[in-house]
Amino acid sequence: MDGVEFRLLGPVGMWHAGRRLGPATAQQRTVLAMLLLEAGRPVPVARLVSALWGSESPESARNAVQGHISRLRRLLAPYEEVELVTSAHGYCLTVARDRIDLFRFRELVREAGSAGGETGAEGAAERAIGLLRAGLALWQETEPLADVAGRWLPDVVVPGIEEERLAALERRLALDLRQGRHQEAAAELTALVGEHPLRERLVFLLMTALLRCDRRTEALAVFRRVRRRFAEELGIEPGEELQRLHQAILAGRDDLTGTAPAVVAVPRHLPPDTELFTAREEELATLDRLTLPAPGAAAAHAMAPCVITGTGGVGKTTLAVHWAHRVSDRFPDGQLYVNLQGYGPTHIARPSGEAVRLFLDALRVPSELMGATLEAQVGLYRSLLAERRMLILLDNALDSDQVRPLLPNAPGCLALITSRAELTGLVAEGARTLSLGLFSPEHSRLLLTRRLGVDKVDAEPRAVDDIVSRCAGLPLALAIVAARAQTRPSFPLGTLISGLDGSSDSSRDDGEGPRGDSADSADGLDVFDGGDAATNMRTVLSWSYRALTPDAARLFRLCGLLPAPEISTAAAASLAGIPVRQAQRLLTELTRANLAVERTPGRYGRHDLLRAYAEELTRLHDSETERHEALHRLLDHYLHSACLGDRLLDLFHRVPLTPTLPRPGVVVSRITDRAQSEAWFGREHRTLLAAIRHAARLGFDRHAWQLAGACWGFLSQEGRSDDQAAVYHIALEAAARLDDPAAQAHAHVGLAQALIRLGQDSASDAHLRAALDLFGGQNDAVGQAICLIYRSVIEDRRGRYDEGLRLSDQALRLCRAAGDRAGEGRVLNNIGWFHAQLGAYGEALRRCEEALAIHRELHDLPGESATLDSLGHIHHLLGQYEQAISYYRRSLAWRRSGKRALGARTLRRLGEAQLAAGRLREGRSTLQRALALTAELAPGDADALRARLAGLDEPAD
């Protein structure tokens, strides 16, 4: 052949003019082999990583692959007939397949099959023999892919390629026998049977050749040896064809017509692959890895079943079928497929016995030989799979019991199973599992682009973003919307998604209960109707829902009442009014049905379309009273748990709350110390924000403002200023509807503090003045003091230290009059700060030491940290930089894990002290850390710090 050629049927490499050009290393040969096997198609990086390192790839794996690709490009560059390109889907080697020996071999075998050698046509047999010999001559003395790195190619790909060689060899030998070359065939077959003693086709051909050479005794001896080996190693008898041949030889028949195995079409039962298959590169690579033989596994137990699980509409079948088509070469004896109907419109799963009989039909077993019992049929099915390499795709399974009879026990066969259930029984018995998740926004856009075209998607970016968001990453939902767009090409995309965000808001009922249901609210799932059961989102989800027990179905419905990202076991127990243990059992049932996902231990989530479906169901099946009581219990759970946690966080930011007793059935989370409180708020804060919004929207105004109050300490110390501002806007509106002056005052203060952090001092001052008037009307000295403290913070930012000190002195008198020791300690610290700013360092130190004593008396760690920060600042102003650094570091010991926003300020002051002490590189590094934290938590303070860093000279080495 002129030009470059590639070889896989032996050592891997690239040849030109009879000379091997490379690659030089085993890893580069692995990458080249992977690209050649998929010539003309992109190979994802994840698959290359799996081929090189399996499941234990190094962190640098992707960089290493890029390096190998670069070196291959340099090797290929001089030859214009081959091109290695990079795409969004991986790397693609474009080269004519007749330049690759494996594909030339396959083409010659295909031509031999088309030559009609088995029909007896004159000259056809010799032509077929010649083509097969030419193809087999391409094989080198070593096994294919002989010098690659990694175990994936040798363990997964090579056996399938070797099977192709043996099948071609068997066809050529059968034709040699037909042409009368008995002696030559017998000699070759004797060696081959020695290498493959359990390969029945080779044994059959050897016995036939020996018989035709008048070596009947030797033929019978071959059968006896093979029969004994089958019994010892597999526990079964040889197949029907060998048994018939054996009986014919014993009967002394020389005419073997009818004993030769019929040419049976290889079963190819997979559903069609989709041309528009999108993304899932990581999942495909995972399937490649999961279907590798287990390390150290015996040859007779090479491949464990693989289970793909996931919620309805996530694309389990699509992925399984696509992967099965892609690896069909690994299973040359065929692929079997059955829909087990575990979830579907009939609600009746296909019996295992019916599925076994379908497989026996596919394997051409006459009905009279199938046996009367399921056990006999399963035994026959598994016997027929022995010594075969087949893929069995068991789609839409209900449970483990349905699947077990269909699992092969042959080492060359793989069972691939899809199910909405987790099939934990099979997993416990050794099955491997892949949990299929939702599409990312990027993959969702890619699916729409592939189905609608780049121009359509680029023309309406906002509508596309809306579709992506509302389809919640569910491939079926995206496909349905895309299909609607394809059938209505003149419609703007925005008009096709009306109804995706069906509203459940309605008119207000009363001041402490949910608003009534809206009779004409848009239904959020109506748009996801593709015209039949399989593409109707509501119907698809119903198949999972109807398989639930009544109690689990009720919990699933009630979980639609709150549009929150996830729910804890205690919250679910409160929602349903049941014990925690029962809630745990029901949540496990929902998880196994893939109607919920346990994202972290004890916390369960679901995608937005499942929540919309649950909301539909609860409005349909649960009375308004039951929904009201369930939501009230859930809000009680969050409110009482948050109040309990807030008491352990920050004495100064505690809003005095007196919530009513929780309803019967409410479970309050167990929170006994500061660490547990911080962990609880950290887990629940997103759900708490959703609960506050939802409570206000549905008329639970008291819950709304009190929940905001209970979250103040956490939101403040974590610097979640945007969230704090949002919930306190809601709290202020709820308090106004309740006409509760005290609630309004606390809401004003909470909003004001957030606005200070966001750099909106004027708006903050207005809220503080309003709160001061409201607290004054309530004779609330502590509330008035808090307002004055925050007003002094604004004055400090304005550089008006005298006014800040005046306001702080007023606040101190109010705290002492009210007996508020925590507030007294905070104000004394502020007074010390202002004295320092005014140059009265002795008075500043005295006041801060008084504050520190109070904080330690109360075990007020946030207050102690703040005062240590002030003492560091005073010593800095005194020129005592090392003492300042020491105080700042002691302050940060709590602020690193506590008040992150205030920790940013302390980091800045520490950096300045380090610079002043001559620690230039250390100080600059500290200021950079402070800037990163400030920009995240208090963006209003970030610009000044950026300017400070920009003005610093780069420190010398």
Side-chain angles (χ1 to χ4, degrees), residues 647-660:
R647 294 189 186 105
L648 298 166
L649 284 183
D650 192 335
L651 300 180
F652 180 65
H653 287 120
R654 183 182 300 163
V655 177
L657 299 173
T658 54
T660 58

Side-chain angles (χ1 to χ4, degrees), residues 176-194:
D176 280 341
L177 289 176
R178 184 185 293 273
Q179 295 300 100
R181 300 186 185 98
H182 306 142
Q183 294 285 359
E184 299 91 332
E188 192 173 352
L189 283 162
T190 299
L192 286 169
V193 169

Side-chain angles (χ1 to χ4, degrees), residues 620-938:
L620 183 64
H621 296 288
D622 304 313
S623 69
E624 184 175 352
T625 299
E626 185 172 4
R627 296 197 306 275
H628 169 256
E629 289 299 313
L631 187 56
H632 202 300
R633 287 192 300 268
L634 182 63
L635 294 173
D636 277 357
H637 160 77
Y638 288 126
L639 177 57
H640 285 271
S641 300
C643 287
L644 183 60
D646 185 55
R647 294 189 186 105
L648 298 166
L649 284 183
D650 192 335
L651 300 180
F652 180 65
H653 287 120
R654 183 182 300 163
V655 177
L657 299 173
T658 54
T660 58
L661 291 174
R663 295 287 178 98
V666 172
V667 178
V668 179
S669 295
R670 178 179 172 80
I671 306 171
T672 60
D673 57 33
R674 177 185 299 278
Q676 288 183 358
S677 175
E678 290 173 348
W680 186 86
F681 276 109
R683 291 191 302 268
E684 296 287 1
H685 79 273
R686 291 176 60 209
T687 301
L688 291 169
L689 300 181
I692 292 167
R693 287 191 295 267
H694 203 57
R697 186 180 303 126
L698 298 184
F700 288 89
D701 288 329
R702 196 166 303 281
H703 282 88
W705 94 259
Q706 289 186 341
L707 264 174
C711 293
W712 185 349
F714 172 78
L715 294 173
S716 172
Q717 74 177 30
E718 287 294 304
R720 300 181 184 274
S721 304
D722 287 322
D723 289 340
Q724 184 176 338
V727 298
Y728 272 96
H729 272 299
I730 295 171
L732 188 57
E733 293 171 355
R737 288 193 293 268
L738 291 169
D739 196 20
D740 184 335
Q744 292 177 60
H746 285 293
H748 276 298
V749 175
L751 180 54
Q753 190 215 27
L755 294 175
I756 289 175
R757 295 264 179 85
L758 295 172
Q760 301 177 32
D761 291 354
S762 296
S764 175
D765 192 54
H767 283 289
L768 290 170
R769 291 178 185 275
L772 189 62
D773 290 342
L774 288 166
F775 281 130
Q778 300 290 310
N779 294 317
D780 185 341
V782 173
Q784 293 177 74
I786 291 174
C787 294
L788 293 171
I789 289 170
Y790 281 118
R791 286 190 61 203
S792 75
V793 171
I794 295 174
E795 297 303 333
D796 178 53
R797 288 157 64 101
R798 293 170 174 169
R800 297 170 55 180
Y801 305 125
D802 286 323
E803 180 62 15
L805 181 59
R806 186 186 69 79
L807 293 171
S808 297
D809 284 334
Q810 291 182 32
L812 180 61
R813 288 192 293 274
L814 289 167
C815 287
R816 284 175 170 169
D820 179 12
R821 291 283 284 166
E824 181 182 355
R826 299 301 176 94
V827 177
L828 282 168
N829 176 49
N830 286 1
I831 290 173
W833 173 269
F834 283 116
H835 278 300
Q837 298 300 91
L838 293 167
Y841 302 129
E843 182 67 9
L845 287 172
R846 186 177 70 81
R847 292 293 194 163
C848 285
E849 292 292 348
E850 289 180 38
L852 191 62
I854 293 174
H855 295 318
R856 287 174 173 169
E857 169 197 329
L858 298 176
H859 303 289
D860 182 357
L861 292 179
E864 181 178 342
S865 175
T867 303
L868 289 169
D869 175 84
S870 296
L871 286 166
H873 180 64
I874 296 167
H875 283 285
H876 187 169
L877 295 176
L878 289 169
Q880 300 165 353
Y881 304 127
E882 294 299 332
Q883 287 178 271
I885 290 170
S886 175
Y887 276 114
Y888 287 139
R889 283 178 171 161
R890 287 160 62 191
S891 173
L892 283 170
W894 181 79
R895 287 185 170 181
R896 282 195 185 97
S897 59
K899 282 194 170 183
R900 297 172 66 232
L902 296 182
R905 299 182 194 174
T906 303
L907 270 175
R908 176 175 182 176
R909 292 169 187 149
L910 173 61
E912 294 290 357
Q914 289 166 334
L915 290 172
R919 305 182 187 182
L920 303 183
R921 188 174 299 279
E922 189 178 358
R924 185 179 183 86
S925 174
T926 301
L927 288 179
Q928 288 170 338
R929 289 164 52 206
L931 176 59
L933 200 55
T934 302
E936 175 192 353
L937 303 176

Side-chain angles (χ1 to χ4, degrees), residues 272-296:
D273 195 6
T274 174
E275 183 182 354
L276 298 175
F277 184 85
T278 302
R280 300 296 193 197
E281 288 87 357
E282 295 291 340
E283 290 83 354
L284 290 168
T286 299
L287 284 173
D288 289 340
R289 186 172 64 253
L290 291 178
T291 54
L292 283 169

